[in-house]
Amino acid sequence: MNTKRIIQSVTICFISVVMSACEKIDIPKEELMSTYDQVYMAAAARNPNSVVLKMADSVYYIVYGASFGGFGAAPQDIGVTFETDPSKAAAFNSLNGTNYPLLPEGSYQFTETSATIKKGTLATAPLAIRINPFEKLELFKDYILAVSIKGASGGVKLNESLTTAYFVVRASLDFADFPELDRSGWQIAGISTEEPAEGEENGGLGIHMLDNKPSTFWHSKWDGGEAPLPHWFVIDMNKTQLLHGVYFIGRQSDKEGKPSSVKMEVSSNGTDWEEAGTLSPANINSKQKFFLSASHECRYIRATILSTHGNTQFSHLAEFGAF
């Protein structure tokens, strides 16, 4: 066998394959490269851009700008102008099945609406929109702001698919700013169902949501017949307190039945109830905190479990608290 000839044959074949692959690459002629140059917004590639601001009387900044795409850096200074476009925000809502209202005028201000991509660079310097959540924003409500490239100088084309960045803005709160309420005086003022047959080790009663023992849990009735959804319980805090939110600790198991939708209500007298939001706990064992739709002065809290993970009729919960 001629080993040398075999090696030469393989080498020639390899070179042939490489040359064939290279011939398929379409490299434009130098005089045509400028036709590939386009201006776009990098933020538009991340649409929608989620902006969560802490609800405070403070100024925050939304940063945006324009970038240059093509073969190499900008061949000249390119002036870029920006604008807000309510019609594009409406089109975004229509396309995505959302209903975000426009970010209220007066709550934000553009520091500048024009910038330059300087020759030899790839982007403008960062531009900013000043926003104060205290100015006309509602807590936990989502708003939309559409920022578009209005035009670019020098005859440079715009990448029409990336000329508008959508910012979904929400004013929220920080869990760390609200200490958990002392539950030592709390009582179960009413409950739709519980299961004493769970035994001493598990608990099964409503009071086991307040015993500081995640190993025990409340469970809806199953002995002698299953209690159907919805399940509810009422907490009496024994004094009026300012309530911002609640927390759940799930039963410490991988069993189905953890709440997936919980309607919250509050009351000052235990008779007249005010809705405070519907929460969606995840199917996990660890503590989950949720802000209510607004802060409330109240004494009583009512939680109604509307559905569960696994779509069961039974449900369970290890601990319930508030902040």
Side-chain angles (χ1 to χ4, degrees), residues 147-223:
V147 180
S148 299
I149 296 176
K150 185 177 182 180
S153 67
V156 179
K157 295 188 298 183
L158 301 181
N159 184 333
E160 296 297 340
S161 65
L162 294 173
T163 56
T164 300
Y166 298 97
F167 298 96
V168 177
V169 182
R170 170 182 286 199
S172 188
L173 297 171
D174 191 333
F175 290 131
D177 292 337
F178 301 92
E180 294 177 4
L181 300 179
D182 179 12
R183 300 185 297 163
S184 59
W186 288 21
Q187 297 176 321
I188 300 294
I191 194 163
S192 63
T193 175
E194 54 188 0
E195 185 48 81
E198 283 289 347
E200 185 176 346
E201 182 179 353
N202 291 338
L205 304 180
I207 58 173
H208 293 103
M209 291 184 287
L210 305 176
D211 64 1
N212 294 310
K213 296 178 182 178
S215 60
T216 64
F217 53 87
W218 156 81
H219 199 294
S220 61
K221 175 179 171 56
W222 53 261
D223 186 28

Side-chain angles (χ1 to χ4, degrees), residues 193 195 219-229 231 256 311-315:
T193 175
E195 185 48 81
H219 199 294
S220 61
K221 175 179 171 56
W222 53 261
D223 186 28
E226 193 172 72
L229 290 171
H231 307 310
E256 58 189 8
N311 295 318
T312 63
Q313 287 298 308
F314 64 84
S315 191

Side-chain angles (χ1 to χ4, degrees), residues 6 66 70 79 88 98 104 116 127 132 142 168 170-172 181 206 210 242 259 268 290 293 305 311 317:
I6 293 173
K88 290 187 176 180
T98 53
T116 300
L127 299 176
N132 186 335
D142 290 325
V168 177
R170 170 182 286 199
S172 188
L181 300 179
L210 305 176
L242 181 59
S268 59
F290 300 89
S293 56
I305 299 171
N311 295 318
L317 193 64

Side-chain angles (χ1 to χ4, degrees), residues 9-306:
S9 175
V10 172
T11 303
I12 291 170
C13 180
F14 173 74
I15 292 172
S16 174
V17 170
V18 172
M19 290 178 65
S20 175
C22 289
E23 289 173 357
K24 294 179 182 179
I25 297 176
D26 184 18
I27 301 177
K29 296 179 181 180
E30 185 174 351
E31 62 269 22
L32 297 177
M33 285 186 178
S34 62
T35 63
Y36 288 79
D37 294 344
Q38 294 185 332
V39 171
Y40 67 98
M41 294 184 72
R46 301 188 295 269
N47 283 332
N49 296 264
S50 178
V51 181
V52 180
L53 309 174
K54 184 176 179 179
M55 178 59 92
D57 191 8
S58 300
V59 174
Y60 298 90
Y61 295 90
I62 299 174
V63 178
Y64 70 101
S67 298
F68 178 82
F71 287 91
Q76 63 195 43
D77 284 357
I78 303 172
V80 185
T81 55
F82 301 88
E83 64 179 355
T84 58
D85 193 335
S87 67
K88 290 187 176 180
F92 178 92
N93 280 330
S94 177
L95 179 64
N96 293 279
T98 53
N99 193 32
Y100 301 130
L102 293 175
L103 190 65
E105 291 187 14
S107 67
Y108 66 93
Q109 180 182 17
F110 283 81
T111 56
E112 294 179 78
T113 56
S114 62
T116 300
I117 303 174
K118 293 188 177 297
K119 180 180 179 179
T121 67
L122 295 174
T124 64
L127 299 176
I129 303 167
R130 296 165 50 95
I131 181 168
N132 186 335
F134 258 35
E135 299 294 334
K136 303 183 179 181
L137 268 63
E138 295 181 27
L139 189 60
F140 306 131
K141 184 174 182 177
D142 290 325
Y143 301 88
I144 192 168
L145 178 68
V147 180
S148 299
I149 296 176
K150 185 177 182 180
S153 67
V156 179
K157 295 188 298 183
L158 301 181
N159 184 333
E160 296 297 340
S161 65
L162 294 173
T163 56
T164 300
Y166 298 97
F167 298 96
V168 177
V169 182
R170 170 182 286 199
S172 188
L173 297 171
D174 191 333
F175 290 131
D177 292 337
F178 301 92
E180 294 177 4
L181 300 179
D182 179 12
R183 300 185 297 163
S184 59
W186 288 21
Q187 297 176 321
I188 300 294
I191 194 163
S192 63
T193 175
E194 54 188 0
E195 185 48 81
E198 283 289 347
E200 185 176 346
E201 182 179 353
N202 291 338
L205 304 180
I207 58 173
H208 293 103
M209 291 184 287
L210 305 176
D211 64 1
N212 294 310
K213 296 178 182 178
S215 60
T216 64
F217 53 87
W218 156 81
H219 199 294
S220 61
K221 175 179 171 56
W222 53 261
D223 186 28
E226 193 172 72
L229 290 171
H231 307 310
W232 58 266
F233 58 87
V234 175
I235 302 293
D236 180 0
M237 297 187 290
N238 274 312
K239 62 180 178 181
T240 298
Q241 301 196 69
L242 181 59
L243 191 69
H244 304 285
V246 298
Y247 66 82
F248 306 96
I249 298 179
R251 178 182 178 182
Q252 303 300 288
S253 75
D254 59 0
K255 297 182 183 295
E256 58 189 8
K258 288 183 173 67
S260 61
S261 179
V262 184
K263 182 175 74 172
M264 301 304 306
E265 297 169 282
V266 295
S267 174
S268 59
N269 57 17
T271 301
D272 303 309
W273 295 94
E274 180 181 357
E275 289 196 22
T278 299
L279 313 179
S280 301
N283 191 19
I284 57 177
N285 296 343
S286 56
K287 180 183 289 186
Q288 301 180 68
K289 288 187 173 183
F290 300 89
F291 285 110
L292 301 180
S293 56
S295 297
H296 298 270
E297 288 274 359
C298 63
R299 172 173 169 170
Y300 298 90
I301 309 169
R302 182 163 65 189
T304 302
I305 299 171
L306 304 175

